[in-house]
Amino acid sequence: MEFTCKDFKVGKCEGEKLVHGETMPLVLLPPGDGKNQVESLLEALRRHKEWFEEMIIKNSAVLLRGFDVKNAVEFNDIVEAFGWDDIRYVGPAPRTHIHKRIWTANEGPLSEFIYYHHEMVLIKEFPKKVILFCEIPPPEGGETPFVPSFRVTERMLEEFPEFVEELDKKGLKYTFTALSKDDTSSMRGRGWEDAFGTSDPAEAERRARALGMEVEWLPNGGVKTMLGPRTLTRVFEGRKGRRMWFNTLVGMHGKELSSATMADGTEIPDNIVKRCEEIIEEESIQFKWEKGDVLFLDNYALLHGRRPSLPPRKVLVATCK
């Protein structure tokens, strides 16, 4: 579908790429009619909800720039303009609720790199869209790079076809340890009470199992969660039959608090994990945040992460079905 909408004009941003004929991200700017930017943006989004969602699916990432979005309240208005259902975040990242559907993005130390991932990829119900708003751009670093997931699958199949098919057939098994209490000094420092939204261990177990997890309580008060089998790749409707690298193999393999193996317990060779990490980085798309940016990501199609940065940096997030 070609771009046709009088309420926006197409722009460019540093780092954008053309991937199989699709511009990532598609940058949309104000039409230049001098109207109140946020109010006119909200009106335009309500008028063109279906068209805008088609642009997200077509280009995988859409960046609204230049609309003078100032804060969480205005960001929430943008999110709610579409009528998309909210989906509560479940995972290890420390986050703070800001306003209605808006949360901080991962509050782990800015000095750490948050590895590429599909949001909530391990959970049975994961968001269709991840929407990010830059309230305070960092002075250096702090990009939110993203990766066309199908390109990782294509390249891994070129280099390791037998391994990919074997692992896709067997599935992946993951483990992750949630701490007894929140530790904001770690990008995976969310305690189990915060992660499951309860201080009752029995209720936490019930909620974990509803999400497809088995749990094991540890002597230190933490909890080890086990998930699997999970698929290596997935194909989603409306995305050209592309096989997405819908897993967190690299991000969890051989880490202090997590592991990733084949579902039958077979270890995954380090050299394959390392090469996959290189491919993901080579396929990544980087752009620098500007104040007021709002970025829509198709969570079915893109992995995303966070580069280390100098403070201050304030990026807020909403996740939608």
Side-chain angles (χ1 to χ4, degrees), residues 42-205:
L42 292 172
E43 292 170 6
L45 294 177
R46 293 184 187 112
R47 278 196 300 271
H48 305 293
K49 287 188 287 189
E50 291 184 3
W51 171 84
F52 195 90
E53 186 159 15
E54 288 170 355
M55 291 300 101
I56 296 173
I57 293 173
K58 176 181 180 294
N59 295 82
S60 300
V62 176
L63 176 63
L64 296 177
R65 174 165 282 177
F67 291 93
D68 196 27
V69 184
K70 294 182 177 65
N71 52 46
V73 174
E74 293 182 347
F75 177 39
N76 185 77
D77 290 341
I78 292 169
V79 173
E80 292 190 339
F82 295 96
W84 297 327
D85 290 334
D86 190 28
I87 185 167
R88 185 182 186 277
Y89 172 74
V90 177
R95 293 182 171 183
T96 300
H97 181 243
I98 301 296
H99 174 74
K100 292 187 177 180
R101 295 174 62 168
I102 309 306
W103 295 70
T104 58
N106 191 321
E107 293 179 314
L110 290 177
S111 58
E112 294 188 35
F113 175 44
I114 298 174
Y115 196 69
Y116 301 100
H117 58 285
H118 290 276
E119 197 71 16
M120 293 166 56
V121 65
L122 301 182
I123 309 301
K124 287 182 177 178
E125 186 179 27
F126 40 81
K128 186 176 181 180
K129 305 169 196 72
V130 175
I131 311 171
L132 298 154
F133 161 59
C134 182
E135 187 169 343
I136 302 175
E140 181 179 319
E143 296 89 352
T144 298
F146 52 87
V147 180
S149 196
F150 78 96
R151 285 291 299 141
V152 183
T153 307
E154 287 180 345
R155 293 187 59 185
M156 287 294 289
L157 280 168
E158 289 171 2
E159 297 190 29
F160 307 103
E162 293 180 1
F163 167 80
V164 170
E165 299 300 357
E166 179 187 9
L167 186 50
D168 223 2
K169 183 178 180 180
K170 288 183 175 179
L172 283 156
K173 179 173 71 176
Y174 300 100
T175 68
F176 182 81
T177 299
L179 305 176
S180 58
K181 297 293 181 183
D182 290 349
D183 177 10
T184 56
S185 68
S186 169
M187 65 180 181
R188 289 184 171 180
R190 201 177 191 198
W192 66 265
E193 293 184 19
D194 189 17
F196 294 113
T198 179
S199 58
D200 179 2
E203 178 62 16
E205 286 192 28

